[in-house]
Amino acid sequence: MSDLADLYQQVILDHNKRPRNRGRLPTANRVAHGDNPTCGDQCSVYLRLDGDRIADISFDGSGCAISQASASLMTTQLKGRTAAEASKLYDEFRQIVTTGQAPEEISDLAAFAGVHAFPARIKCATLGWHAALNALKGDPVAATTESHKD
Ligand code: ZN
């Protein structure tokens, strides 16, 4: 089990060190901003929606390792997905970070299972996802993890 825990830790460290899809997406047609005041995390998510499918996605922001690594990993998971698939994936991710239990097929998202032991950090892990889901709804209004009801 410790090997598995180490592996998951590596996923988070790797995404924090080398964020994927970071920076403003010039072709984005949806954008939303997320803010986690309890930790000081910020995250903007840029999407290019092609019909109902996420043709491209990027994020930009600053904050703790959990928030930035989670947003980075999220972009790799959401690219090419439909809005419905993205919503379903978020439900699974939220289950992972709140219960520590991951379905086996979820793969890299399970890296964040350890977050469940630190309830204050759950908002860090879900910040980028809240922004992405708000962007998908076409809601240009700034989102905060405080106001988004689970
Ligand atoms: Zn944080």
Side-chain angles (χ1 to χ4, degrees):
M1 192 60 205
S2 68
D3 284 351
L4 202 58
D6 288 347
L7 173 70
Y8 288 160
Q9 190 65 18
Q10 285 305 314
V11 171
I12 294 177
L13 291 175
D14 181 55
H15 275 272
N16 193 53
K17 196 171 171 186
R18 298 187 302 117
R20 318 299 201 275
N21 306 305
R22 182 161 199 168
R24 183 180 289 267
L25 184 67
T27 57
N29 53 16
R30 293 280 195 286
V31 60
H33 180 72
D35 184 19
N36 178 20
T38 58
C39 183
D41 308 318
Q42 308 260 346
C43 183
S44 293
V45 172
Y46 303 88
L47 296 178
R48 185 161 62 79
L49 266 188
D50 186 1
D52 191 40
R53 194 168 291 277
I54 301 169
D56 212 348
I57 179 171
S58 75
F59 82 101
D60 205 359
S62 60
C64 70
I66 294 289
S67 69
Q68 303 304 301
S70 178
S72 170
L73 179 57
M74 176 194 73
T75 63
T76 68
Q77 299 286 315
L78 290 189
K79 202 168 189 171
R81 304 262 188 179
T82 65
E85 287 168 345
S87 178
K88 184 168 177 288
L89 208 55
Y90 170 65
D91 287 342
E92 291 169 347
F93 181 69
R94 189 164 57 86
Q95 187 192 328
I96 289 169
V97 296
T98 55
T99 69
Q101 302 296 315
E104 276 185 28
E105 69 272 22
I106 290 298
S107 71
D108 278 1
L109 291 181
F112 291 87
V115 170
H116 87 281
F118 307 92
R121 310 307 298 279
I122 291 171
K123 286 178 179 175
C124 304
T126 58
L127 177 65
W129 290 83
H130 283 293
L133 294 184
N134 280 320
L136 280 171
K137 287 182 215 150
D139 182 359
V141 177
T144 77
T145 53
E146 305 293 334
S147 65
H148 190 111
K149 293 281 179 275
D150 287 329

